[in-house]
């Protein structure tokens, strides 16, 4: 559902996946199915609910083995941008992601890389409020 053209289907799909990813067995199945790339694709949605579910899903999918992928430089830069959002929900969730899923060194490196860039990472726009 995450690759559907309908924004409604994507929103409901990532919402369901977010709920499932809290279960260890489901989380492992998502990771084994290369689901991280599909979830990170939802970060570019203009729908705040979709983005919130994608961030929460990435948090649920972060393990010692998957951390390299769930906290890639592009994802970290995206979270840094989201941490500046006017939406308190998105801003707070992005800050929690940066605190709980990333090392301070990763965040510092992503901040340095982001400085001086006028475009959003990977062309990811901030969702509309």
């Amino acid at each position: 559902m995450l690759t559907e053209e309908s924004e409604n289907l994507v929103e409901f799909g990532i919402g369901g996946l977010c709920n499932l990813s809290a279960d260890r067995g489901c989380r492992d199945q998502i990771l084994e199915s290369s689901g991280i790339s599909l979830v990170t694709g939802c970060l570019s949605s203009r729908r705040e609910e979709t983005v919130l579910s994608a961030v929460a899903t990435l948090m649920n999918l972060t393990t010692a083995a998957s951390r390299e992928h769930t906290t890639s430089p592009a994802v970290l830069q995206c979270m840094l941008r989201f941490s500046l959002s006017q939406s308190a929900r998105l801003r707070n969730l992005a800050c929690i992601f940066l605190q709980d899923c990333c090392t301070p060194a990763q965040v510092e490196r992503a901040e340095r890389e982001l400085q001086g860039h006028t475009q959003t990472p990977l062309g990811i726009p901030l969702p509309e409020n």
Side-chain angles (χ1 to χ4, degrees), residues 36-89:
I36 293 173
S37 63
L38 292 171
V39 174
T40 56
C42 291
L43 294 174
S44 63
S45 175
R46 293 200 177 272
R47 287 194 173 187
E48 183 172 320
E49 294 300 324
T50 300
V51 175
L52 290 167
S53 292
V55 174
T57 303
L58 286 174
M59 292 172 72
N60 290 339
L61 295 178
T62 300
T63 65
S66 68
R67 187 173 311 276
E68 176 183 344
H69 302 288
T70 58
T71 63
S72 69
V75 170
L76 264 66
Q77 289 177 14
C78 184
M79 295 303 161
L80 288 169
R81 296 273 305 166
F82 290 159
S83 73
L84 303 174
S85 174
Q86 291 181 356
S87 164
R89 294 186 316 153

Side-chain angles (χ1 to χ4, degrees), residues 2-124:
L2 302 185
T3 59
E4 293 290 330
E5 289 185 30
S6 167
E7 291 182 2
N8 285 334
L9 293 178
V10 173
E11 180 180 334
F12 298 138
I14 190 65
L17 197 62
C18 181
N19 291 334
L20 290 170
S21 66
D23 175 80
R24 178 177 287 141
C26 291
R27 179 196 67 206
D28 293 344
Q29 182 66 37
I30 296 166
L31 291 171
E32 291 169 10
S33 302
S34 303
I36 293 173
S37 63
L38 292 171
V39 174
T40 56
C42 291
L43 294 174
S44 63
S45 175
R46 293 200 177 272
R47 287 194 173 187
E48 183 172 320
E49 294 300 324
T50 300
V51 175
L52 290 167
S53 292
V55 174
T57 303
L58 286 174
M59 292 172 72
N60 290 339
L61 295 178
T62 300
T63 65
S66 68
R67 187 173 311 276
E68 176 183 344
H69 302 288
T70 58
T71 63
S72 69
V75 170
L76 264 66
Q77 289 177 14
C78 184
M79 295 303 161
L80 288 169
R81 296 273 305 166
F82 290 159
S83 73
L84 303 174
S85 174
Q86 291 181 356
S87 164
R89 294 186 316 153
L90 183 56
R91 182 176 61 245
N92 292 339
L93 192 58
C95 288
I96 291 169
F97 179 93
L98 292 168
Q99 288 177 335
D100 291 356
C101 298
C102 309
T103 66
Q106 282 180 301
V107 174
E108 184 178 316
R109 186 170 44 251
E111 286 173 337
R112 280 195 315 266
E113 292 171 1
L114 193 55
Q115 288 177 351
H117 292 283
T118 56
Q119 293 183 342
T120 60
L122 299 176
I124 297 173

